[in-house]
């Protein structure tokens, strides 16, 4: 079996976890939590990092702390993992879905410009650009539009640790950016998230809210309704060890991306995701487009190669079917029907890459 995107535990993970176990620092406090927060913030070029249970709750925490709530609307791409839209809903706000650019597969700003006179967009409070697959869309356009319209920008950078836009790391452009350390991400803590920001007060408040808004640990005083969204020291220890390996992992991901592009270029009607020149992506998970998606998925499955179609568009999910969806051509539908992700684990071997390419080519 060739898996899709496995963790790669190959550094100091055992040593750091053992240190937690040996010293009894296994829970929500401990040196690895702050070290992990500092390492992720430093990588993103931000002043502060707030570790949390996972990326989904990181998005919720950031939105909640930034005052997004009932009655607000939040722009979200129609092609994303459901977590982005779910987190908006946790705050009581509702997501407005924006169709994507069929070249980059990122939220299309042009649609908002063209459709803003036909749609009531007055209640929009925030935008959540998602850096889908570690690529980045028209981020500067979105940031300008947000500034002109006084909107909060929270980046869903769950997939983009190691990706840069105009030489600046993703996650550092909005008021807050959220990284995921789920098992399939470029590095992992098993499950985890870090919110990055340059805003000291926001960082302090998010940390406070993530620890049940506890004012004084000795007296059980709490000053508002908080959450238990902390990341435990054992998992942060894994995160520190994985952060030490990140640059190496990005290099391997770029190699995998280059390999697939070279060997699948010109095969049948295969097309690749376009990466704008201002983006230096982490190449997290190789995904391509073909009208033979179903046949390719079937062939890969027969050879025990794990592949996945792209996410079902948000407007097609039952809980979001009545939400506003800004679109002209519904490119999301086509991208969902035609795109598939293929094995991209850091640990993938040359023989495995060759086998994947051979099976894909065999379909055309
Ligand atoms: C785009 C996107 N947003 C949010 C998340 C949620 O992150 P987590 O799984 O850590 O909750 C993920 C990944 O899982 C994701 O890919």
């Amino acid at each position: 079996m060739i898996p899709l995107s496995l963790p790669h535990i190959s550094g100091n993970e055992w040593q750091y976890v053992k240190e937690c176990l040996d010293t009894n620092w296994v829970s929500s406090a401990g040196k690895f939590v702050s070290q992990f927060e500092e390492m992720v913030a430093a990588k993103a070029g931000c002043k502060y990092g707030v570790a949390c249970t996972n990326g989904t709750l990181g998005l919720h925490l950031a939105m909640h702390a930034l005052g997004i709530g009932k009655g607000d609307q939040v722009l979200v791409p129609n092609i994303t993992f459901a977590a982005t839209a779910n987190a908006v809903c946790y705050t009581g706000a509702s997501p407005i879905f924006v169709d994507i650019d069929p070249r980059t597969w990122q939220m299309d700003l042009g649609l908002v410009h063209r459709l803003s006179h036909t749609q009531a967009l007055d209640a929009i409070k925030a935008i959540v650009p998602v850096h889908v697959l570690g690529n980045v869309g028209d981020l500067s356009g979105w940031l300008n539009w947000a500034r002109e319209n006084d909107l909060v920008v929270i980046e869903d950078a769950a997939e983009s640790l190691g990706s840069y836009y105009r030489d600046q790391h993703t996650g550092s452009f909005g008021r807050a950016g959220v990284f995921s350390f789920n098992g399939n991400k470029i590095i992992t803590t098993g499950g985890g998230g870090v919110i990055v920001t340059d805003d000291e007060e926001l960082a302090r408040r998010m940390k406070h809210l993530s620890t049940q808004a506890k004012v004084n640990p000795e007296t059980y005083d709490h000053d508002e309704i908080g959450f238990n969204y902390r990341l435990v020291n054992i998992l942060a220890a894994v995160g520190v060890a994985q952060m030490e390996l990140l640059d190496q992992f990005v290099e391997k991901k770029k190699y995998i991306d280059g390999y697939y592009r070279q060997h699948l270029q010109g095969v049948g009607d295969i097309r690749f995701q376009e990466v704008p020149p201002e983006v230096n992506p982490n190449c997290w998970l190789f995904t391509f487009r073909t009208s033979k998606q179903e046949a390719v998925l079937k062939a890969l499955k027969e050879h025990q190669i794990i592949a996945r179609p792209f996410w079902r568009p948000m407007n097609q999910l039952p809980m979001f079917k009545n939400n506003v969806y800004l679109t002209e051509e519904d490119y999301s539908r086509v991208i969902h029907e035609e795109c598939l992700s293929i094995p991209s684990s850091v640990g993938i071997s040359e023989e495995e890459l060759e086998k994947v390419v051979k099976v894909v080519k065999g379909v055309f």
Side-chain angles (χ1 to χ4, degrees):
M1 199 251 287
I2 306 180
L4 188 66
S5 184
L6 278 189
H8 198 68
I9 308 297
S10 54
N12 292 318
E13 293 85 352
W14 279 104
Q15 186 192 323
Y16 296 163
V17 170
K18 185 170 185 306
E19 191 179 324
C20 297
L21 300 175
D22 287 345
T23 57
N24 228 8
W25 285 94
V26 295
S27 195
S28 46
K31 72 169 191 186
F32 288 114
V33 175
S34 36
Q35 202 179 331
F36 185 48
E37 291 174 334
E38 280 161 21
M39 285 174 98
V40 176
K43 180 72 190 173
C46 286
K47 288 191 189 142
Y48 309 99
V50 177
C52 47
T53 323
N54 54 53
T56 310
L57 298 182
L59 286 166
H60 177 223
L61 186 58
M63 289 186 226
H64 178 82
L66 284 162
I68 292 157
K70 200 157 183 249
D72 294 331
Q73 293 180 327
V74 178
L75 292 183
V76 167
N78 196 42
I79 286 279
T80 183
F81 183 53
T84 321
N86 287 343
V88 172
C89 297
Y90 301 163
T91 69
S94 56
I96 289 185
F97 298 111
V98 184
D99 200 6
I100 52 161
D101 181 321
R103 294 162 302 176
T104 59
W105 315 343
Q106 313 289 322
M107 187 157 67
D108 183 3
L109 175 64
L111 277 172
V112 179
H113 286 316
R114 292 198 295 283
L115 295 176
S116 55
H117 52 95
T118 61
Q119 302 274 344
L121 302 178
D122 311 337
I124 295 178
K125 175 104 179 225
I127 306 171
V128 185
V130 180
H131 307 310
V132 174
L133 297 168
N135 193 8
V136 184
D138 180 11
L139 190 54
S140 69
W142 281 109
L143 292 166
N144 288 337
W145 190 71
R147 208 171 298 119
E148 283 159 20
N149 292 281
D150 203 16
L151 305 175
V152 177
V153 176
I154 297 145
E155 293 172 73
D156 181 340
E159 303 179 352
S160 68
L161 188 68
S163 294
Y164 294 81
Y165 179 81
R166 297 188 175 160
D167 297 326
Q168 186 178 330
H169 200 287
T170 54
S172 65
F173 292 90
R175 292 286 303 280
V178 181
F179 297 102
S180 163
F181 300 96
N182 184 38
N184 63 353
K185 297 298 182 288
I186 192 156
I187 65 162
T188 186
T189 54
V194 171
I195 313 165
V196 293
T197 183
D198 276 334
D199 182 333
E200 184 179 2
E201 175 50 26
L202 178 64
R204 193 206 56 76
R205 180 132 193 278
M206 291 191 296
K207 192 78 185 171
H208 181 60
L209 284 165
S210 77
T211 52
Q212 302 283 22
K214 201 187 283 170
V215 180
N216 180 339
E218 287 173 18
T219 58
Y220 293 107
D221 281 314
H222 305 256
D223 60 1
E224 60 181 308
I225 295 172
F227 311 97
N228 182 2
Y229 280 2
R230 294 168 297 186
L231 185 72
V232 295
N233 201 42
I234 294 185
L235 297 183
V238 176
V240 168
Q242 289 267 291
M243 276 303 288
E244 292 169 354
L245 301 166
L246 176 63
D247 290 346
Q248 224 173 294
F249 287 8
V250 172
E251 230 174 87
K252 179 69 187 277
K253 293 279 188 184
K254 283 180 187 288
Y255 174 77
I256 295 168
D257 183 89
Y259 185 96
Y260 282 140
R261 282 180 190 259
Q262 185 192 339
H263 291 87
L264 296 176
Q265 176 75 43
V267 174
D269 64 351
I270 286 180
R271 278 187 276 171
F272 304 125
Q273 184 187 34
E274 280 182 30
V275 178
E278 52 273 79
V279 180
N280 177 5
N282 66 359
C283 303
W284 166 57
L285 182 66
F286 194 80
T287 303
F288 65 93
R289 186 174 166 184
T290 169
S291 60
K292 294 194 180 220
Q293 184 215 52
E294 235 180 277
V296 177
L297 284 171
K298 187 163 169 278
L300 290 168
K301 196 170 184 181
E302 278 165 12
H303 287 83
Q304 295 194 308
I305 297 169
I306 309 296
R308 289 279 178 273
F310 216 19
W311 299 302
R312 183 165 295 286
M314 295 301 104
N315 73 305
Q316 294 183 20
L317 298 177
M319 64 282 197
F320 297 132
K321 69 176 191 302
N322 295 323
N323 286 56
V324 174
Y325 171 34
L326 300 179
T327 184
E328 286 170 339
E329 305 288 338
D330 197 10
Y331 287 121
S332 301
R333 185 183 57 76
V334 186
I335 290 298
H336 164 67
E337 284 170 3
E338 297 196 345
C339 287
L340 70 149
S341 305
I342 55 176
S344 307
S345 305
V346 167
I348 197 168
S349 69
E350 209 64 23
E351 296 73 45
E352 288 172 325
L353 285 170
E354 269 172 36
K355 182 169 172 190
V356 175
V357 165
K358 193 167 162 225
V359 173
V360 172
K361 277 182 166 172
V363 175
F364 293 92

